[in-house]
Amino acid sequence: MPALSALSGRRLKELATSGGFAIDDNTGNRMIEALEAAIEALESRWSELVKLQETPPMSETPAARWVAQHMVDTAADADGLLTQLNAARTEFPTYVEAIELAKRTYREAETASSQEFTGLRDRLDTTEA
């Protein structure tokens, strides 16, 4: 299974554009702040994180060599921590874009609803007068 395939940033943007994902400004801003903090943390630590691809220094016994290789393999294989973090690092900016779109979608829906209710109220007021 590819990293972060459950809901890609591209799919989230499609949902936001079509109205299938809308979010208020306050919640959206909080989500964006969290994502940007995660992006910043990943970027600032990336040079250290990529060291997970390197074989750790261990003794030269067969068991130590196996463990060292296993550590590298599990960190960098298709489901490994480094692979998943790199996918997140790549995908999170698209999530931010999707949330921005979803915020706009929410505002547009709120404006349309407000205008519809105002028009309905005005029609009722005119009818009662």
Side-chain angles (χ1 to χ4, degrees):
M1 175 168 78
L4 296 174
S5 64
L7 187 59
S8 71
R10 181 183 55 77
R11 178 68 181 126
L12 195 59
K13 282 176 70 173
E14 290 170 0
L15 286 169
T17 301
S18 70
F21 171 49
I23 193 162
D24 66 278
D25 282 335
N26 184 47
T27 305
N29 290 341
R30 290 172 51 204
M31 292 172 72
I32 289 169
E33 287 172 16
L35 285 166
E36 287 176 342
I39 293 165
E40 183 180 321
L42 284 170
E43 291 299 331
S44 69
R45 293 172 177 84
W46 196 251
S47 63
E48 292 298 315
L49 289 169
V50 293
K51 292 179 183 176
L52 293 171
Q53 299 177 105
E54 300 170 8
T55 304
M58 300 183 103
S59 71
E60 290 300 316
T61 66
R65 286 194 308 266
W66 182 87
V67 168
Q69 188 58 51
H70 183 69
M71 290 171 68
V72 170
D73 291 344
T74 57
D77 69 6
D79 295 318
L81 175 64
L82 188 60
T83 305
Q84 297 301 316
L85 289 175
N86 192 40
R89 184 175 162 229
T90 302
E91 201 72 15
F92 283 177
T94 308
Y95 283 9
V96 169
E97 292 174 29
I99 293 167
E100 290 291 353
L101 285 169
K103 286 172 32 180
R104 187 176 73 221
T105 300
Y106 184 89
R107 283 190 305 271
E108 289 170 356
E110 284 290 302
T111 299
S113 294
S114 177
Q115 289 172 346
E116 187 173 327
F117 285 124
T118 299
L120 179 60
R121 186 189 69 217
D122 291 347
R123 285 192 302 275
L124 287 173
D125 289 346
T126 305
T127 305
E128 292 176 355

